[in-house]
Amino acid sequence: MPRKKPFSVKQKKKQLQDKRERKRGLQDGLRSSSNSRSGSRERREEQTDTSDGESVTHHIRRLNQQPSQGLGPRSYDPNRYRLHFERDSREEVERRKRAAREQVLQPVSAEMLELDIREVYQPGSVLDFPRRPPWNYEMSKEQLMSQEERSFQEYLGKIHGAYASEKLSYFEHNLETWRQLWRVLEMSDIVLLITDIRHPVVNFPPALYEYVTGELGLALVLVLNKVDLAPPALVVAWKHYFHQHYPQLHIVLFTSFPRDTRTPQEPGSVLKKNRRRGRGWTRALGPEQLLRACEAITAGKAVDLSSWREKIARDVAGASWGNGSGEEEEEEDGPAVLVEQQTDSAMEPMGPSRERYKDGVVTIGCVGFPNVGKSSLINGLVGRKVVSVSRTPGHTRYFQTYFLTPSVKLCDCPGLIFPSLLPRQLQVLAGIYPIAQIQEPYTAVGYLASRIPVQALLHLRHPEAEEPSAEHPWCAWDICEAWAEKRGYKTAKAARNDVYRAANSLLRLAVDGRLSLCFHPPGYSGQRGSWESHAETAELVVLQGRVGPAGDEEEEEEEELSSSCEEEGEEDRDADEEGEGDEDTPTSGSGSCLAARNPYALLGEDEC
């Protein structure tokens, strides 16, 4: 009798996966590798995908793949709106790894933190966004979709033909996601473009501004979100920058978790997350400003926004006397919000011209990049959590509508990444790329460490230093290795310092705002004093103090600084394991861009 061939558990698992995928009718080689350490072993070059059409020869990496549900052609496809980014070549990944080990980090000047939008997007170039091609009612659905795909392939071809892949940023290659944007713009009366105040020019594509205000003739409201993560003077400077360059904008300052900037922070509370209970969402800063902007836009129209103003008054009154008795009461308190999940039938083309403010209802579309806080903004407007939020880019997969009041309808659009010339490391730090699926995170850590003193803030000791006070040149790899040594991150087999896990931990700190990297408008460094003494800066400080945490019940939970939800006894958890409702959970150490004093100075070695 012949000997049985050894068959490992790993091979058996792969055999079962292949069998299930054949039953579902999926193509071979499209399985997600998000659970692997780097994914490089399972994402071989011969298994690369392309976007909707096969005419684009550039390799596309599809992220956030979910298991399919059901059988047959009419079953729901959860991967229809997942992120499609251009794949980094293996040579490019290896080159960046070598640079992370060899390149000595040098601190950049304050002028290097100034971002000009003309250098990022180059207005007037091919760095545009895809437009829906002309159509008519005589076209069938198949003809329309085929025409849109051909137009989208031409759009991608122009961009990749004009710029080398190394110069381009990550941007969306999935046509289905762009169709969501088309639908939201068509049904909106007012468009909200939400940006992150730490880097608003990254999230502000001029092509969208020209299209909305020009071709569509709609009002565009720029929402500078998360203003609690930046100094008030910088917030005011960015506001005036956009007013100067884009005069048709209505600008609103917003944050779902305001804080009193006049209250000094305790250095020992940096490692603690404040879990606000009760009426936390009603404390949002900005709903009244947004209401005033919408009232100015709809002046003279057949729209009555008095119900919205009454709702804001009720929320403010309720937040002043509410005792925050529990999360369950928060979810049940208040009137019901009608939620409409848009299906494929809702994606059918609308007429070339649509009646604005139909039946006295104003539709407000919320668009923007991933991780800028679109869903949190809707929760802040409603006054409680009605939209699921997450730090993982691409969490919102299709647009939904919510009736804030009988006359105000909100529309939440999935996050879209527009093409630009931004460094890809900056996109990673901005939360645009899923951190758990980054093949090479070390250069992004180096980009961060050359702009803020990460080694000093985290009290890192150089891996080659015999004494803590010894001076050694740092590279990105050294920072990751020092953080792995400090946090005790070890590989499972050889017990070496797990630098990949440490790099992901540092990137999550930057995305969460605990290591806050803020960029400045051009000329800010020379005019910092005038902005700090500006009248609007003082008004913003007073406003944040008025709606700050006073009177709100807080429950402090000390958690690991890595913010990756890692617990003892759990090894190699690199996937995004954050809670679904933790995208903008406020942290007491995320207030200032770079405080004058080290917030970690009073922490002991074991506490950091």
Side-chain angles (χ1 to χ4, degrees):
M1 183 175 179
R3 259 181 100 173
K4 292 184 179 180
K5 186 178 179 181
F7 197 71
S8 66
V9 176
K10 190 173 183 180
Q11 288 174 311
K12 181 64 176 177
K13 183 178 179 180
K14 184 177 182 299
Q15 184 187 62
L16 293 175
Q17 287 177 343
D18 293 338
K19 184 177 180 181
R20 284 195 295 267
E21 289 182 357
R22 284 196 299 270
K23 286 184 177 181
R24 295 172 183 147
L26 299 177
Q27 297 179 358
D28 294 337
L30 293 182
R31 290 187 304 275
S32 173
S33 56
S34 60
N35 292 329
S36 62
R37 291 293 289 160
S38 65
S40 59
R41 291 187 293 273
E42 297 183 14
R43 293 189 295 266
R44 297 187 295 271
E45 293 296 329
E46 60 269 19
Q47 293 179 345
T48 55
D49 304 327
T50 59
S51 62
D52 295 78
E54 295 296 333
S55 60
V56 176
T57 58
H58 300 275
H59 295 305
I60 301 300
R61 186 181 179 195
R62 304 185 177 187
L63 307 178
N64 298 342
Q65 180 168 342
Q66 303 294 326
S68 298
Q69 303 174 2
L71 301 174
R74 299 184 63 84
S75 60
Y76 170 68
D77 182 11
N79 298 311
R80 182 174 179 178
Y81 306 112
R82 60 179 173 169
L83 300 174
H84 287 195
F85 290 155
E86 185 179 3
R87 182 192 302 273
D88 294 324
S89 64
R90 183 174 299 178
E91 293 77 13
E92 177 65 17
V93 172
E94 294 299 327
R95 184 192 66 79
R96 294 206 298 255
K97 285 183 179 179
R98 289 194 300 269
R101 287 176 175 269
E102 300 170 359
Q103 186 174 358
V104 177
L105 298 177
Q106 299 293 339
V108 301
S109 61
E111 288 74 14
M112 295 296 293
L113 292 177
E114 297 178 357
L115 276 182
D116 191 350
I117 198 168
R118 292 170 295 184
E119 299 176 358
V120 174
Y121 286 100
Q122 294 188 350
S125 65
V126 296
L127 297 177
D128 203 339
F129 72 98
R131 316 290 176 85
R132 169 171 280 183
W135 60 275
N136 55 64
Y137 286 105
E138 297 178 357
M139 300 174 63
S140 63
K141 180 179 179 180
E142 290 74 18
Q143 291 175 335
L144 178 61
M145 295 184 66
S146 176
Q147 177 177 289
E148 291 175 350
E149 290 178 1
R150 287 195 304 269
S151 176
F152 186 66
Q153 295 303 320
E154 295 175 359
Y155 159 79
L156 292 178
K158 289 180 180 179
I159 294 179
H160 288 292
Y163 296 94
S165 299
E166 295 77 15
K167 293 184 178 180
L168 284 172
S169 65
Y170 295 116
F171 68 97
E172 185 59 74
H173 285 67
N174 189 356
L175 175 58
E176 293 293 341
T177 311
W178 289 108
R179 284 173 173 148
Q180 299 282 303
L181 174 65
W182 298 344
R183 185 68 177 86
V184 170
L185 293 180
E186 287 176 351
M187 68 183 299
S188 297
D189 302 314
I190 299 173
V191 178
L192 301 187
L193 178 57
I194 297 96
T195 61
D196 192 326
I197 190 59
R198 293 173 290 178
H199 34 69
V201 296
V202 174
N203 311 131
F204 186 88
L208 182 63
Y209 166 81
E210 298 293 341
Y211 178 72
V212 172
T213 60
E215 295 186 32
L216 297 182
L218 299 178
L220 182 63
V221 179
L222 175 63
V223 179
L224 299 177
N225 199 17
K226 305 182 184 181
V227 296
D228 59 304
L229 297 182
L234 182 60
V235 175
V236 176
W238 275 121
K239 178 181 177 181
H240 283 262
Y241 173 82
F242 282 103
H243 264 311
Q244 179 182 357
H245 290 80
Y246 303 97
Q248 298 184 48
L249 282 178
H250 301 262
I251 300 181
V252 172
L253 308 180
F254 199 96
T255 179
S256 297
F257 301 100
R259 65 178 185 88
D260 191 352
T261 56
R262 300 168 299 181
T263 303
Q265 298 176 355
E266 297 180 3
S269 64
V270 175
L271 300 184
K272 297 180 180 180
K273 270 193 175 182
N274 293 337
R275 309 283 184 177
R276 286 178 172 81
R277 305 184 62 182
R279 302 176 179 272
W281 292 105
T282 60
R283 299 173 52 256
L285 168 66
E288 189 171 353
Q289 292 186 34
L290 181 58
L291 171 60
R292 290 199 298 267
C294 293
E295 287 177 338
I297 295 171
T298 59
K301 308 293 192 304
V303 178
D304 184 12
L305 298 181
S306 60
S307 58
W308 189 359
R309 182 169 294 280
E310 294 172 358
K311 182 188 182 306
I312 293 178
R314 289 196 304 268
D315 292 342
V316 173
S320 62
W321 59 262
N323 55 4
S325 57
E327 296 180 358
E328 290 80 5
E329 290 186 7
E330 178 190 0
E331 299 298 329
E332 297 176 0
D333 186 32
V337 177
L338 178 59
V339 180
E340 297 178 349
Q341 296 187 2
Q342 305 298 332
T343 60
D344 288 346
S345 61
M347 295 300 296
E348 298 294 336
M350 301 180 64
S353 60
R354 185 183 70 88
E355 179 185 355
R356 302 298 177 190
Y357 310 107
K358 186 177 181 180
D359 299 328
V361 176
V362 56
T363 302
I364 303 176
C366 302
V367 301
F369 279 60
N371 256 337
V372 295
K374 296 183 297 298
S375 300
S376 295
L377 180 139
I378 291 180
N379 289 335
L381 293 177
V382 174
R384 64 183 185 278
K385 181 178 177 181
V386 295
V387 188
S388 177
V389 296
S390 174
R391 281 187 290 259
T392 304
H395 177 71
T396 304
R397 287 184 166 80
Y398 48 84
F399 78 93
Q400 294 178 315
T401 57
Y402 314 86
F403 276 91
L404 181 63
T405 68
S407 61
V408 180
K409 182 168 67 172
L410 304 176
C411 185
D412 186 17
C413 179
L416 275 160
I417 299 137
F418 291 69
S420 68
L421 301 180
L422 276 173
R424 296 188 176 184
Q425 293 81 7
L426 175 54
Q427 287 189 300
V428 172
L429 294 172
I432 294 175
Y433 198 100
I435 291 177
Q437 302 187 42
I438 298 175
Q439 293 177 286
E440 187 279 308
Y442 314 108
T443 52
V445 173
Y447 189 94
L448 174 69
S450 61
R451 285 156 178 81
I452 62 174
V454 174
Q455 307 94 306
L457 290 175
L458 300 180
H459 293 301
L460 297 182
R461 177 178 178 178
H462 197 283
E464 299 178 0
E466 298 180 358
E467 298 180 1
S469 59
E471 293 290 338
H472 285 271
W474 289 83
C475 65
W477 189 274
D478 292 335
I479 293 177
C480 298
E481 190 170 2
W483 184 241
E485 179 69 25
K486 191 177 189 67
R487 303 302 298 169
Y489 298 153
K490 303 293 181 180
T491 58
K493 294 184 179 179
R496 299 188 181 94
N497 288 329
D498 194 342
V499 291
Y500 182 82
R501 180 181 177 186
N504 284 1
S505 172
L506 291 171
L507 294 180
R508 288 191 178 97
L509 289 178
V511 173
D512 293 346
R514 291 194 247 183
L515 289 176
S516 187
L517 173 62
C518 298
F519 287 88
H520 309 154
Y524 178 79
S525 301
Q527 304 175 1
R528 182 190 298 267
S530 60
W531 289 118
E532 290 177 350
S533 59
H534 198 278
E536 293 187 27
T537 303
E539 293 177 3
L540 180 59
V541 172
V542 173
L543 183 60
Q544 287 188 346
R546 187 163 61 245
V547 296
D552 197 24
E553 182 179 348
E554 297 181 359
E555 176 183 334
E556 290 188 347
E557 297 180 3
E558 184 169 354
E559 76 165 8
E560 221 176 70
L561 191 59
S562 66
S563 74
S564 57
C565 301
E566 295 154 346
E567 299 176 0
E568 295 183 2
E570 300 188 23
E571 300 288 344
D572 300 337
R573 296 175 60 181
D574 289 331
D576 277 337
E577 298 171 302
E578 298 89 347
E580 292 301 313
D582 291 349
E583 178 192 18
D584 286 326
T585 303
T587 60
S588 55
S590 63
S592 61
C593 198
L594 274 179
R597 58 177 181 174
N598 186 351
Y600 297 83
L602 300 183
L603 292 177
E605 188 70 18
D606 296 335
E607 294 176 339
C608 189

